[in-house]
Amino acid sequence: MSRVIWLVLDSLGIGAAPDAADWGDEGADTFGHIAAACAAAPRGPLRLPNLSRLGLPQAHAAAQGRMAEGFADLPLPEGLWGHACERAAGKDTPSGHWETAGVIVSQPFGHFENAANSFPPQLLQALIEEAGLPGVLGNCHASGTEILKRLGEQHLETGCPIVYTSADSVFQIAAHEHRFGLERLYAVCEIARRLLAPFNIARVIARPFVGGSADDFKRTGNRRDYSLPPPAPTLLDAVVENGNEVIAIGKISDIFAARGISRSVHAHGHDALFDATLLAMDDARNGSMIATNFVDFDSVYGHRRDVFGYARALEAFDVRLWRLRRRLRRNDLLVLSADHGCDPTFPGSDHTRECIPVLASGPTIVPRPISRRDSFADIGQSMASHLGLPALAEGHSFLSRISETPA
């Protein structure tokens, strides 16, 4: 019997999607622009031997019609490689993950579009009253690091949490982990989640931080996402209903509102996420699905427009990938994908509407290109097929009944 290991390289887009202009993202290319910046810098080209063996540069070339700078004369990938375009009405974390798992969001999430005074006064007043707050700070579009420098000290003085949003469908609440209290922050977020029901906001995010002044404020690993639940059953639900286990590592459980999750493992930082994934692979029984989100690509590097930090994180991920591949059992399927783009060279600090890589490999997988997939849901349908599950409502499997050895 088979297992699936699904790794989400959060925000690793591989070039503007066909409809990118509709989202203001024409010309975005997270992977391609990082590769170009590295090739032009003294540090030299991106070094990704393991991701290259799985077909990442080749998938980018198929999506963009050209090989990324610094990559040439590559051998045939050791698995299936291609790219997928999102059908969902969004470019955010929930819609990307849900579509991959077989549920396509047809109506866009709500957004708070005003850059200043972003939230309705009645919403903030209800939050203040129900949570017993002295008030709130922020009420604007902002990046998480910038707003801490600007308002963190005032938060310590007043006890008012910082509320902010972005172009994404989010309501974020930042508060000091010790002075305000972590559990109190979570409780405030739960109240906000309920109050936001009429606005169809995808996520409320708790953003705890530590430090004593603007010079040393730092967000901690105790972030928590309060997502809307998927509007229909996902691949994760199907795995559990079939009597098998879904092991969710990192923020996967939060993204799916804990639905279809057998066991949730919280870890902070890519090394810890990798360690947790390797441990899960040692323990997971046949029929299981392990799903890990590598969030730092997005939150630490993409949104902060740190091109070379993103590059270093990719190279560090690549170094550890070989160890994970060595742990694969005969009938395991390893799938690498993303959920959207977040081009660190692009104007602004928001997600970008991009194609994503689709890389699938395993001991029984015969290498071949799978070309362009017209929905992320093809990934979930393929994982369902590999696990012997009934077909999902959306998507077309790219696994060949002829080429691949039956699980």
Side-chain angles (χ1 to χ4, degrees):
M1 198 174 181
S2 311
R3 303 187 305 175
V4 163
I5 298 92
W6 175 33
L7 309 183
V8 182
L9 283 68
D10 198 314
S11 84
L12 187 64
I14 54 173
D19 61 354
D22 296 339
W23 299 83
D25 294 329
E26 190 172 19
D29 186 354
T30 301
F31 176 74
H33 288 153
I34 293 170
C38 290
R43 54 141 285 149
L46 271 174
R47 296 175 291 274
L48 303 175
N50 292 300
L51 285 167
S52 296
R53 291 188 186 99
L54 294 183
L56 176 60
Q58 297 89 334
H60 174 267
Q64 298 304 306
R66 66 186 188 283
M67 189 64 74
E69 293 184 42
F71 295 91
D73 302 320
L74 296 174
L76 184 72
E78 299 171 3
L80 311 181
W81 75 96
H83 61 286
C85 305
E86 188 169 11
R87 282 172 50 196
K91 53 177 181 177
D92 49 71
T93 295
S95 67
H97 282 74
W98 296 355
E99 181 166 331
T100 303
V103 174
I104 298 173
V105 176
S106 58
Q107 296 297 322
F109 292 119
H111 295 79
F112 296 108
E113 297 182 356
N114 294 335
N117 298 314
S118 301
F119 306 119
Q122 64 271 24
L123 171 65
L124 295 182
Q125 188 59 38
L127 180 64
I128 289 167
E129 290 178 0
E130 292 199 30
L133 301 172
V136 295
L137 303 172
N139 188 16
C140 60
H141 282 222
S143 74
T145 51
E146 176 274 328
I147 204 164
L148 290 186
K149 289 183 178 180
R150 180 159 54 90
L151 295 176
E153 291 180 354
Q154 189 176 349
H155 161 71
L156 293 179
E157 294 169 2
T158 64
C160 298
I162 305 166
V163 297
Y164 62 105
T165 187
S166 69
D168 296 335
S169 181
V170 292
F171 185 97
Q172 304 189 79
I173 307 178
H176 198 277
E177 188 163 302
H178 307 303
R179 300 273 289 274
F180 188 86
L182 190 59
E183 295 304 321
R184 185 184 178 200
L185 172 59
Y186 293 159
V188 173
C189 288
E190 289 172 0
I191 294 170
R193 176 71 278 172
R194 175 170 48 79
L195 293 174
L196 285 162
F199 299 91
N200 194 35
I201 299 301
R203 288 181 295 165
V204 174
I205 305 179
R207 293 288 195 179
F209 66 95
V210 294
S213 70
D215 295 330
D216 64 0
F217 288 138
K218 182 179 180 181
R219 297 197 301 200
T220 77
N222 290 317
R223 161 185 171 159
R224 186 171 293 178
D225 293 35
Y226 298 81
S227 295
L228 289 173
T234 70
L235 168 63
L236 282 64
D237 295 304
V239 173
V240 172
E241 288 171 5
N242 200 52
N244 292 311
E245 186 179 33
V246 173
I247 304 170
I249 299 173
K251 68 175 188 174
I252 292 289
S253 181
D254 287 351
I255 294 167
F256 287 89
R259 272 189 24 187
I261 307 296
S262 309
R263 176 156 48 107
S264 180
V265 180
H266 289 283
H268 176 54
H270 283 187
D271 282 339
L273 290 164
F274 239 115
D275 290 342
T277 304
L278 296 176
L279 285 173
M281 290 177 67
D282 290 342
D283 297 337
R285 62 180 185 268
N286 288 334
S288 298
M289 178 179 183
I290 301 167
T292 306
N293 175 285
F294 288 87
V295 66
D296 287 2
F297 291 125
D298 183 52
S299 64
V300 177
Y301 307 111
H303 283 299
R304 299 183 190 181
R305 296 309 188 236
D306 184 352
V307 176
F308 297 113
Y310 205 132
R312 289 190 296 271
L314 281 171
E315 291 171 338
F317 180 94
D318 188 271
V319 167
R320 300 208 64 184
L321 190 56
W322 72 272
R323 190 181 299 274
L324 185 148
R325 295 186 69 201
R326 289 181 62 185
R327 274 180 161 81
L328 293 174
R329 299 176 188 170
R330 173 170 171 76
N331 289 320
D332 284 351
L333 177 69
L334 171 64
V335 176
L336 277 68
S337 67
D339 51 349
H340 49 71
C342 195
D343 186 343
T345 73
F346 209 66
S349 60
D350 298 314
H351 294 159
T352 41
R353 180 82 166 186
E354 297 186 46
C355 302
I356 64 167
V358 184
L359 313 177
S361 61
T364 65
I365 300 299
V366 178
R368 59 185 169 86
I370 58 172
S371 190
R372 167 177 153 172
R373 316 304 300 189
D374 290 328
S375 172
F376 293 5
D378 288 7
I379 303 171
Q381 194 70 269
S382 302
M383 293 191 285
S385 173
H386 185 77
L387 291 170
L389 299 173
L392 303 178
E394 300 284 353
H396 301 279
S397 175
F398 48 70
L399 294 182
S400 167
R401 296 181 183 275
I402 298 175
S403 299
E404 274 75 64
T405 302

